[in-house]
């Protein structure tokens, strides 16, 4: 299979690289009567507004998305999302599971049962096509998301996402930033909201254009006391964009993103404690801080002879700090000490791509990505449970210098064949290197200090096939490889007596997906597919005696199922400027362990792999500026650990499964006058009592019913 895909990828590169035309794209002028048919077909493929309300462009800049399953959520078509409600933000993203927590200092997403959603480690999350993980390779955790008010659309890319953007297995979630419209005059908005738990949200933006220049600046502050003691949070965010268009064929852009979040950590609790008091706090002094700044320089240019270039260079700094002590409940005495932790990430990277349109509708893309990160990791212990995050007077507990390097080259080509068939072969070669050099280890360990580095080169291949049929319908088939790089914790666990256990293989995925989507009737969009994913070489720690552990490739899992989406605008045929849109999506999943170092594990269900995930809603929207949405998410029960076992005797501490839950949200915007907009909403409308996150140390309650209301003034 891999040899065939590699041959197809080389075939994709040769015509463009050598300037050779395909036989069906000869220089002879085709009969005039054929021209209208070709032009209409291409326009329906790439530029039909009805399709682009739901799908990405088939050739989007220097990226090919045709034959990949994609979903686009345009946030202008739904009410404003306020606060930490990712459930409402991603309700139009089928199959994407949000594992909720009450404070906005980390974000937990997963897809199709692959990996624990903790900090979205198995999902590649991006902003404007660049990774926003802490350290994309060595520590791929998510502690930052752009505020919804700053986002124009959310793109969800499934099969082949690793070939398009790089690691992780699947999918890619890409947040596209808002930009001023070309020629737009100076304008701005100030939006201020209050709500439950003493919520205060203030968002302010100013944007405009002047000749070839364009800019956008915004600043936001969001504060909440949270539902539990020590669950308060503060988020400060600022963004600045400056663009320059010297002519219609090129664009330069400079983006600055700054984020600062602080939140208390009330601690995880046991199931009996949750039943008795879901607002119980067991860690009253624990706290988390996130500081993040990113600078991005971008350039796009159209060259002659159908060539196009887009390039991005970025540098960033992120500091994750935490103060954590053991939990207790009075009259138990408080712990004698706390651990102060600081992880810093200094990252730089470039993403360079070219596209060449050739023949009759064909396109070739190629590019390279380079990335480097330095990530020092330090811990101290202190007898002061409320020690300041900058206080370094405690006893050093851990000190590691960590670094990661990543490089990739890739190429793809979309071939447009007769009978409206298109084929996309893809190839990507990736290389990673992660290193850890330890100078202080926790005092309870007996292993030597860590000084190790691991390198890997991974080839990836993919093939997509599609066919346009009828009126704006398309079939798609995609088979592609993906992988999960070795992390710092995979090569050197800092908190265990990790002994050398041989060189690990990175986790890899092989994803198959076949489906059909389209907009055959005015106002209707549908997408239905079946999928099969083999995920191999899972990495886990295995205890070999009373004190020592090793990291091993512990087993394989298989994930298969169905994912469908349906949207219909009941008023689309009219010209009244009103829209009544009903939408629903359903993901059905069957996931099992197919191989394991522990034979008893074979046949069990992986953690966080619910049998179904359903999302639905009804939105009323008018061109006059009214938006009213009722949306809901329903998640089947799911195991929280791969063993499918509870923790404790029976349900004494944690049941084996997270129970099923269904949650509804109501939100509305009303543009009263051109300069005044009112907004309000109720989250968890039915006050459902549930939880979606469980760890070995306990569960985290989800929030109950909350409300918000406010106004926005614009000019």
């Amino acid at each position: 299979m891999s040899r065939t895909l590699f041959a197809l990828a080389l075939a994709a590169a040769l015509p463009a690289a050598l300037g050779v035309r395909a036989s069906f794209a000869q220089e002879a002028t085709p009969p005039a009567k054929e021209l209208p048919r070709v032009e209409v077909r291409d326009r329906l493929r790439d530029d039909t507004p009805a399709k682009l309300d739901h799908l990405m462009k088939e050739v989007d800049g220097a990226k090919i998305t045709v034959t990949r399953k994609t979903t686009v959520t345009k946030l202008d078509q739904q009410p404003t999302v306020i606060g930490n409600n990712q459930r409402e933000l991603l309700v139009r993203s089928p199959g994407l599971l949000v594992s909720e927590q009450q404070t906005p200092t980390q974000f937990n997403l997963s897809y199709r049962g692959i990996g624990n959603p903790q900090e979205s480690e198995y999902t590649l999350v991006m902003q404007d096509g660049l990774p926003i993980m802490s350290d994309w390779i060595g520590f791929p955790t998510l502690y930052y998301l752009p505020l919804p008010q700053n986002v124009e659309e959310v793109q969800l890319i499934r099969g082949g996402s690793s070939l398009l953007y790089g690691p992780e297995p699947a999918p890619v979630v890409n947040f596209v930033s808002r930009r001023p419209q070309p020629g737009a005059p100076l304008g701005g908005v100030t939006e201020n909201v209050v709500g439950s738990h003493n919520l205060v949200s203030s968002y302010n933006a100013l944007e405009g254009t002047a000749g070839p220049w364009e800019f956008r600046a915004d600043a936001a502050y969001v504060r909440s006391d949270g539902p539990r003691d020590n669950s308060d949070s503060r988020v400060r965010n600022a963004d600045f964009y400056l663009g320059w268009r010297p002519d219609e064929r090129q664009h330069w852009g400079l983006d600055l993103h700054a984020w600062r979040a602080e939140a208390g950590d009330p601690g995880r609790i046991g199931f009996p404690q949750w039943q008795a008091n879901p607002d119980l706090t067991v860690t009253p002094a624990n706290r988390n801080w996130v500081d993040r700044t990113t600078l991005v320089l971008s350039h796009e240019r159209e060259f002659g002879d159908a060539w196009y270039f887009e390039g991005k260079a970025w540098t960033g700094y992120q500091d994750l700090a935490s103060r954590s002590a053991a939990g207790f409940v009075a009259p138990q005495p408080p712990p004698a000490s706390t651990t102060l932790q600081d992880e810093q990430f200094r990252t730089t990277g470039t993403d360079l791509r070219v596209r060449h349109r050739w023949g009759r509708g064909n396109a070739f893309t190629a590019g390279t990505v380079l990335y480097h990160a330095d990530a020092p990791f330090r811990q101290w212990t202190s007898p002061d449970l409320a020690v300041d995050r900058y206080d370094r007077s405690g006893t050093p507990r851990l000190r590691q210098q960590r670094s990661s390097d990543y490089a990739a080259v890739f190429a793809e080509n979309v071939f447009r064949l007769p009978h409206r068939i298109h084929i996309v072969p893809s190839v990507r070669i990736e290389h990673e290197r992660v290193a850890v050099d330890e100078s202080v280890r926790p005092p309870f360990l007996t292993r030597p200090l860590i000084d190790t580095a691991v390198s890997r080169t991974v080839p990836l291949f993919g093939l997509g096939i599609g066919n346009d049929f009828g009126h704006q319908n398309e079939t798609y088939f995609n088979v592609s490889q993906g992988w999960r790089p070795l992390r710092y914790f995979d090569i050197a666990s800092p908190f265990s007596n990790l002994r050398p256990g041989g060189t690990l293989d990175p986790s890899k995925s092989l994803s198959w997906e076949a489906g059909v989507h389209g907009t055959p009737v005015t106002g209707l969009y549908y997408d239905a597919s079946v999928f099969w994913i083999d995920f191999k070489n899972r990495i886990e720690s295995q205890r070999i005696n009373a004190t020592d552990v090793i990291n091993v490739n512990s087993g394989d899992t298989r994930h298969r199922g169905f994912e469908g989406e349906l949207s219909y605008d009941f008023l689309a045929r009219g010209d009244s400027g009103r829209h009544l849109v009903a939408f629903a999506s359903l993901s059905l999943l069957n996931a099992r362990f197919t191989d394991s170092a522990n034979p008893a594990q074979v046949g069990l269900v992986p953690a966080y792999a619910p049998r179904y995930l359903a999302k639905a809603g009804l939105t009323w929207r008018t061109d006059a500026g009214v938006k009213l949405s009722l949306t809901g998410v329903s998640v089947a029960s799911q195991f929280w650990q791969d063993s499918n076992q509870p923790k404790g005797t029976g349900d004494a501490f944690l049941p084996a499964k997270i129970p099923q839950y269904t949650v509804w949200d109501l939100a509305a915007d009303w543009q009263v006058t051109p300069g005044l907009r009112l907004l309000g909403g109720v989250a968890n409308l039915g006050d459902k009592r549930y939880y979606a996150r469980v760890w070995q140390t306990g569960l985290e309650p989800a929030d109950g019913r909350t409300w918000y209301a406010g106004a926005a003034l614009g000019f």
Side-chain angles (χ1 to χ4, degrees):
M1 179 67 180
S2 61
R3 290 181 178 178
T4 302
L5 293 176
F6 183 69
L8 287 169
L10 291 178
L14 286 175
L18 301 177
V20 178
R21 302 280 183 178
S23 61
F24 56 83
Q26 298 177 1
E27 295 181 3
T29 303
K33 63 181 180 180
E34 293 184 11
L35 287 177
R37 176 179 58 83
V38 172
E39 291 177 356
V40 170
R41 184 186 69 184
D42 287 348
R43 175 171 53 82
L44 289 175
R45 281 176 170 173
D46 288 342
D47 299 325
T48 304
K51 292 182 70 174
L52 296 183
D53 274 346
H54 305 276
L55 299 171
M56 295 178 63
K57 286 185 176 181
E58 294 190 348
V59 179
D60 186 12
K63 297 174 286 295
I64 296 173
T65 65
V66 64
T67 72
R68 292 181 168 98
K69 186 181 179 79
T70 67
T71 300
V72 170
T73 301
K74 295 186 179 296
L75 296 192
D76 283 341
Q77 297 182 4
Q78 64 187 52
T80 307
V81 177
I82 298 295
N84 187 37
N85 194 342
Q86 302 137 55
R87 180 181 64 244
E88 190 174 343
L89 175 66
L90 300 172
V91 72
R92 299 294 297 267
S93 300
L96 191 61
L97 178 65
V98 177
S99 186
E100 301 169 39
Q101 71 176 70
Q102 295 172 348
T103 53
T105 47
Q106 67 186 54
F107 305 93
N108 312 290
L109 308 174
S110 63
Y111 191 66
R112 294 180 177 175
I114 298 179
N116 193 305
Q118 175 79 6
E119 300 162 355
S120 306
E121 280 207 5
Y122 289 77
T123 301
L124 177 55
V125 184
M126 316 189 90
Q127 183 173 6
D128 302 321
L130 299 179
I132 57 176
M133 324 303 285
S134 300
D135 177 344
W136 186 10
I137 305 303
F139 198 72
T141 56
L142 188 62
Y143 286 82
Y144 156 79
L145 276 184
L147 290 179
Q149 294 94 327
N150 288 336
V151 177
E152 180 178 329
E153 66 181 40
V154 181
Q155 300 171 345
L156 181 63
I157 310 170
R158 285 75 147 193
S161 60
S162 294
L163 291 157
L164 188 65
Y165 280 118
E168 296 287 331
V172 165
V173 182
N174 185 35
F175 294 90
V176 180
S177 300
R178 292 190 181 275
R179 294 286 185 257
Q181 295 297 317
L186 181 67
V189 64
T190 177
E191 173 192 284
N192 296 278
V193 170
V194 297
S196 299
H197 311 315
N198 292 322
L199 169 70
V200 174
S201 174
S202 178
Y203 174 80
N204 308 274
L206 186 68
E207 66 178 29
T209 61
W213 296 93
E214 56 192 33
F215 83 98
R216 177 180 172 86
D218 61 72
Y221 174 72
V222 184
R223 184 198 74 198
S224 173
D225 289 344
R228 306 164 66 187
D229 290 341
N230 196 38
S231 65
D232 62 293
S233 63
R234 306 287 186 275
V235 174
R236 296 172 175 85
N237 181 85
D239 301 273
F240 177 76
Y241 160 76
L242 180 65
W244 180 48
R245 301 181 185 271
D247 55 56
E248 62 181 11
R249 300 177 64 86
Q250 59 178 315
H251 169 264
W252 291 87
L254 184 68
D255 283 274
L256 176 65
H257 305 291
W259 167 275
R260 171 169 288 187
E262 175 185 353
D265 179 1
R268 301 182 178 105
I269 59 178
F271 182 72
Q273 293 172 315
W274 176 76
Q275 286 184 308
N277 179 12
D279 293 334
L280 178 67
T281 293
V282 295
T283 53
N286 289 7
R287 205 151 191 85
N288 299 305
W289 297 269
V290 182
D291 296 329
R292 179 186 176 91
T293 304
T294 306
L295 183 67
V296 182
L297 176 65
S298 60
H299 180 53
E300 303 172 41
R301 182 162 186 173
E302 291 276 2
F303 292 92
D305 196 27
W307 282 96
Y308 167 82
F309 167 81
E310 67 178 29
K312 297 175 182 177
W314 77 95
T315 184
Y317 171 79
Q318 180 172 295
D319 185 14
L320 303 181
S322 65
R323 185 178 65 218
S324 58
F328 71 99
V329 178
Q332 295 175 328
S337 65
T338 189
T339 299
L340 190 65
Q341 178 172 295
D342 184 67
E343 292 182 272
Q344 297 178 354
F345 304 91
R346 299 175 179 88
T347 59
T348 57
T350 60
D351 186 311
L352 309 175
R353 302 169 186 255
V354 295
R355 182 206 69 213
H356 180 56
R357 293 189 183 272
W358 60 279
R360 188 173 295 168
N362 308 299
F364 167 76
T365 66
T368 183
V369 177
L370 301 174
Y371 173 86
H372 173 77
D374 288 309
F377 184 20
R378 300 171 295 174
Q379 287 187 338
W380 300 264
T381 57
S382 172
D384 181 4
L385 299 187
V387 61
D388 184 84
R389 63 175 292 193
Y390 299 109
D391 189 339
R392 301 295 186 257
S393 62
T395 302
R397 184 176 186 264
L398 176 71
R399 184 180 294 272
Q400 291 184 340
Q401 178 58 51
R402 309 177 300 184
S403 65
S404 67
D405 293 279
Y406 167 75
V409 292
F410 51 89
E412 297 186 308
N413 199 104
V414 53
F415 293 95
R416 305 288 191 183
L417 304 180
H419 308 294
R420 308 179 76 177
I421 295 172
H422 36 272
I423 298 178
V424 183
S426 309
V427 61
R428 189 178 181 109
I429 310 298
E430 306 204 318
H431 178 79
E432 73 154 337
R433 182 182 185 274
V434 290
V436 178
D437 183 6
E438 186 178 67
S439 56
V440 177
R441 67 165 184 260
F444 57 85
L445 299 179
T446 58
R447 59 166 172 75
L449 293 174
I450 297 170
D451 184 7
T452 186
V454 172
S455 298
R456 279 288 182 271
T457 299
V458 180
L460 302 174
F461 303 95
L463 177 66
I465 303 174
N467 171 239
D468 295 322
F469 69 95
H471 178 63
Q472 298 186 39
N473 300 287
E474 180 189 19
T475 62
Y476 57 90
F477 168 79
N478 188 285
V479 54
S480 56
Q481 295 175 305
W483 73 302
R484 173 172 167 77
L486 295 174
R487 307 166 304 152
Y488 301 129
F489 285 179
D490 294 330
I491 69 168
S493 174
F495 306 118
S496 64
N497 284 315
L498 182 68
R499 298 299 181 183
T503 303
L504 296 172
D505 292 324
S507 301
K508 295 183 179 180
S509 65
L510 180 62
S511 173
W512 305 74
E513 186 137 23
V516 59
H517 56 214
T519 56
V521 176
T522 301
L524 174 68
Y525 172 76
Y526 73 94
D527 187 334
S529 67
V530 292
F531 61 87
W532 184 300
I533 304 172
D534 289 314
F535 189 58
K536 297 184 178 297
N537 299 330
R538 293 166 61 101
I539 298 174
E540 297 180 2
S541 296
Q542 187 177 92
R543 185 168 294 280
I544 57 176
N545 55 46
T547 59
D548 298 336
V549 298
I550 58 173
N551 277 354
V552 297
N553 292 117
S554 61
D556 307 332
T557 54
R558 180 264 299 147
H559 310 252
R560 64 187 179 193
F562 165 86
E563 188 173 284
E565 177 184 4
L566 188 66
S567 174
Y568 185 64
D569 184 349
F570 292 93
L571 304 178
R573 292 180 178 272
D575 57 0
S576 63
R578 299 174 181 176
H579 306 270
L580 181 60
V581 180
F583 65 89
S585 66
L586 176 64
S587 180
L588 302 177
L589 175 64
N590 180 282
R592 292 290 187 274
F593 276 87
T594 57
D595 189 23
S596 176
N598 175 14
Q601 191 69 32
V602 176
L604 298 184
V605 179
Y608 294 96
R611 290 181 297 106
Y612 74 82
L613 171 56
K615 302 181 181 183
L618 185 67
T619 298
W620 166 260
R621 188 177 82 250
T622 72
D623 292 349
V626 175
K627 301 173 188 175
L628 176 64
S629 283
L630 176 65
T631 60
V633 175
S634 182
V635 183
S637 61
Q638 53 195 303
F639 292 104
W640 61 271
Q641 58 179 347
D642 292 337
S643 68
N644 296 178
Q645 296 296 315
K647 184 172 183 181
T649 304
D651 291 341
F653 186 65
L654 292 170
K657 284 187 174 183
I658 299 172
Q660 184 276 346
Y661 60 89
T662 300
V663 184
W664 293 92
D665 298 315
L666 179 68
D669 283 15
W670 178 26
Q671 195 74 43
V672 182
T673 69
L676 175 62
R677 173 168 53 92
L678 302 180
L679 58 159
V682 180
N684 193 353
L685 194 60
D687 199 20
K688 176 69 175 179
R689 185 177 173 186
Y690 71 104
Y691 57 91
R693 295 192 71 221
V694 179
W695 206 243
Q696 289 287 341
T697 53
L699 62 87
E700 291 193 21
D703 215 346
R705 182 192 296 121
T706 59
W707 63 270
Y708 69 88
L713 297 175
F715 66 92

